[in-house]
């Protein structure tokens, strides 16, 4: 549906912009394809960090997905979204003690421990709560060939426990035998990987590690979390993964290990790959201006809603995938135009010299591949604009899954005791805050 | 006070971390120095975008500052903070029509128009509301030598109106004579400027432009907004501005123009320069681990609260200014350590191989120069951690000016009609959302 410009124009007219639109039907189809190619060898766990909308999480749950959370807040929302404890795993290198206590209390499927210190604290928390808690360990491998853009393993890293320290880890499991149940292992080599061979070799490494743990330590994994890292092509030089072939190969790979590993639960994590292409960000051109011979389109949405589409943090200053949807049926020549958001900062650059049909006020700009790492990844408070609406299209219905924000939202948590205390001291202050 | 480690440890113990701490007394002293050096030639306007806390804005108002807002949300908060309309200017390249209507309605001191299209819309809004509205114009200069790190003028830009188009601008003021009152001009050449000569030459350019407008167009500025751009040294290779000399030179420069310009209101905008060094971000070391021979400290705060301290968006991967405050009196050797936040992403890197006393669990990490572009600039929703507390120290009192967030805050604006509608269709869903 997100390919249908007429639909998007109609939604923009009905709900206003800026807005995120998610295609729940496309998501369902995509999810079902992936799981059919995996052929029941592995379960898909949604990485909540990629999109913090609780309705999206709920939709994925209804398709059968599990969920990977990385904070107490995400755990809270996962439960709100209807996930049962057995469908939740909790990872993250800096879990706070209160977060661990909460996860232990909820008896989730598995806490992924990322350090020996954390493992010790989990054991203490379990003991205090008189529970035996299921724990997986995240392993930072000895060395692995990885073509991941952002490496999260195989190098010195805050993530996971060095493979060379497995001895110490299993000593701890031994020591806290009554409190800790060894559930299995988790490895995650990097994100935004577009190379099938890299992905498969990292999964194979993980599977071999599970075998080695069984053989060397006599510990059988009930769960092997292969991580994820499946990339999405955003820019021209990037080639998409061949998903069908890839997941069939993943299934073959898993099958070749499952007997030896005694049929554990295999988990694959997915955020970006699942959602990115099922969502768009829509913003309307508010002003068209020319400066020193160059055309600029000024949109009503920007980096405060969708930081990833701007150039911040990217070394390669490519334009994000986007298209312009004309609000009238007039034809327009394709010209190079720069597009900015409303923020009073040069960082709010949506596209630089993008080739698009000549823009007019009222045209709709559709930022594609925005279903993941969109709103949740953005500095929503910056410059005090209202947060965008989020719309989910599913089975012929429209669901507003996040209401548009208002200026009043900015006062959330702003404790104003300072005002009240000073009111008596300052006449002007009193007059101006009378309506607080 | 922020230099006093004992005070910071005590505040961290009392209020918990992560937390922003602002020193209101240092801010007052800093503000009073600046205004004394300016010698009443110019007024300081606080750039609200640099810190969205309404109590900080209120404090600055009590010192005598005006305020520059860049959205309806900021306008709303400025009024909440007690600013009178005559102390408010509104700038920004993408003002929405509703935002302009609100600014017109509040009769603020000046709307800064950034395009001819906007000027036209302001006139229409004023006409509709039967008001005459004060408008300044932001000018993008013909050419100017600038050593600003981030250029916002003198190049093709979405900001302001090209100087070459002033004819058209004054034609519009003529045309909408009853609705628009020409208040003056605004120029802003760039941000984070650490070179006095660049700053002074850009201010001089602005003043000369005001003279030219008087001579060529017969239009007298009642206001000349010189912009800002005063930089702060964050990294070792940067040298601070000599503030006393600089502002005295600014005062001299203004004095040399004020008679010719018929004594307009001169405005200087300031966000970073005013606040950056009056605030710190405090986070506690939660875990200390070693990976492949390298030590890592894992803190309870990170990029979701303070994106600017991480490396995102910076080409030079220097470490932000920071110090480690030991929680015990043990002495510790200085070693190279990497420090990360709790987020499950390699982007949450606070410092890479920073030379600091060897960290232990419980030590306090103080991120300096964090009073501006801290919380407001950060992706607070990312990974679902709670938002930090903000503490203002002023005249011997502690004021919690933002309460610590809770997981429940994540549901703000999350419309859950999708759940309700599906409840009847899905038994599992019903069971799991019973407590909604």
């Amino acid at each position: 549906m997100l390919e249908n410009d007429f639909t998007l124009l109609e939604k923009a007219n009905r709900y206003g912009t800026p807005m995120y639109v998610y295609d729940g039907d496309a998501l369902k189809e995509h999810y079902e394809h992936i799981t059919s190619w995996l052929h029941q060898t592995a379960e898909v766990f949604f990485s909540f960090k990629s999109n913090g909308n609780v309705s999206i999480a709920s939709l994925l749950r209804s398709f059968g997905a599990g969920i990977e959370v990385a904070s107490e807040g995400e755990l809270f929302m996962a439960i709100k979204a209807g996930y049962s404890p057995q469908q939740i795993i909790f990872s993250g290198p800096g879990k706070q003690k209160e977060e661990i206590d909460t996860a232990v209390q909820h008896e989730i499927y598995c806490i992924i421990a990322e350090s020996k210190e954390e493992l010790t604290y989990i054991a203490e928390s379990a003991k205090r709560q008189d529970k035996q808690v299921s724990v997986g360990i995240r392993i930072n491998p000895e060395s692995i060939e990885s073509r991941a853009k952002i490496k999260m393993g195989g190098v010195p890293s805050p993530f996971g426990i060095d493979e060379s320290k497995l001895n110490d880890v299993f000593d701890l499991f031994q020591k806290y035998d009554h409190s800790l149940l060894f559930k299995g292992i988790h490895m995650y080599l990097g994100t935004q990987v577009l190379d099938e061979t890299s992905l498969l070799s990292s999964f194979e490494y993980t599977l071999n590690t599970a075998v080695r743990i069984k053989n060397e330590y006599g510990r059988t994994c009930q769960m092997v979390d292969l991580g994820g890292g499946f990339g999405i092509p955003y820019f021209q030089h990037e080639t998409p993964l061949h998903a069908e072939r890839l997941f069939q190969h993943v299934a073959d790979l898993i099958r070749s290990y499952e007997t030896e590993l005694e049929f554990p639960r295999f988990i694959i994590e997915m955020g970006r790959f699942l959602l990115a292409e099922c969502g768009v960000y829509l913003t309307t051109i508010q002003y068209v201006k020319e400066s020193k011979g160059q055309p600029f389109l000024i949109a009503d949405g920007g980096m405060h809603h969708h930081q990833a589409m701007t150039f911040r943090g990217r070394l390669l200053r490519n334009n994000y995938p986007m298209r312009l949807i004309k609000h009238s049926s007039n034809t327009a020549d394709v010209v190079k135009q720069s597009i900015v958001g409303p923020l009073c900062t040069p960082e709010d650059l949506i596209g630089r010299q993008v080739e698009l049909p000549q823009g007019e006020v009222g045209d709709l700009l559709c930022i594609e591949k925005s279903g993941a790492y969109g709103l949740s990844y953005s500095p929503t408070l910056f410059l005090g604009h209202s947060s965008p609406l989020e719309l989910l299209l599913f089975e012929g219905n429209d669901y507003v899954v996040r209401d548009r924000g208002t200026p009043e939202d900015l006062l959330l948590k702003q404790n104003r005791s300072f005002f009240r205390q000073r009111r008596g001291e300052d006449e002007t202050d009193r007059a101006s805050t009378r309506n607080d």
Side-chain angles (χ1 to χ4, degrees), chain A residues 314-334:
Chain A
R314 283 200 263 129
L315 285 181
L316 274 176
R317 303 198 134 218
N318 295 312
N319 291 313
Y320 217 75
M322 63 182 83
R323 64 185 195 273
L324 194 78
I325 304 175
K326 300 295 294 178
H327 75 295
S328 71
S329 54
N330 299 348
T331 53
D333 292 339
V334 170

Side-chain angles (χ1 to χ4, degrees), chain A residues 389-414:
Chain A
L389 185 145
E390 289 185 300
L391 184 70
L392 171 64
L393 311 180
F394 189 57
E395 294 181 344
N397 292 314
D398 290 4
Y399 300 92
V400 174
V401 291
R402 185 185 299 265
D403 294 319
R404 190 174 300 290
T406 65
E408 287 77 9
D409 299 338
L410 295 167
L411 294 177
L412 179 80
K413 299 289 161 185
Q414 295 222 31

Side-chain angles (χ1 to χ4, degrees), chain A residues 293-320:
Chain A
Q294 282 189 23
F296 286 89
L297 309 181
I298 301 178
D300 63 1
M303 74 173 277
H304 53 309
H305 294 168
H306 195 345
Q307 181 168 249
M309 77 177 169
T310 64
F311 296 97
R312 234 185 111 62
R314 283 200 263 129
L315 285 181
L316 274 176
R317 303 198 134 218
N318 295 312
N319 291 313
Y320 217 75

Side-chain angles (χ1 to χ4, degrees), chain A residues 67-91:
Chain A
I67 196 161
E68 181 243 327
V69 303
S71 68
E72 186 179 354
E74 287 187 355
L75 174 57
F76 167 80
M77 287 197 292
I79 293 165
K80 282 282 176 202
Y83 286 85
S84 74
Q86 288 303 302
Q87 291 172 295
I88 303 175
I89 61 173
F90 184 11
S91 56

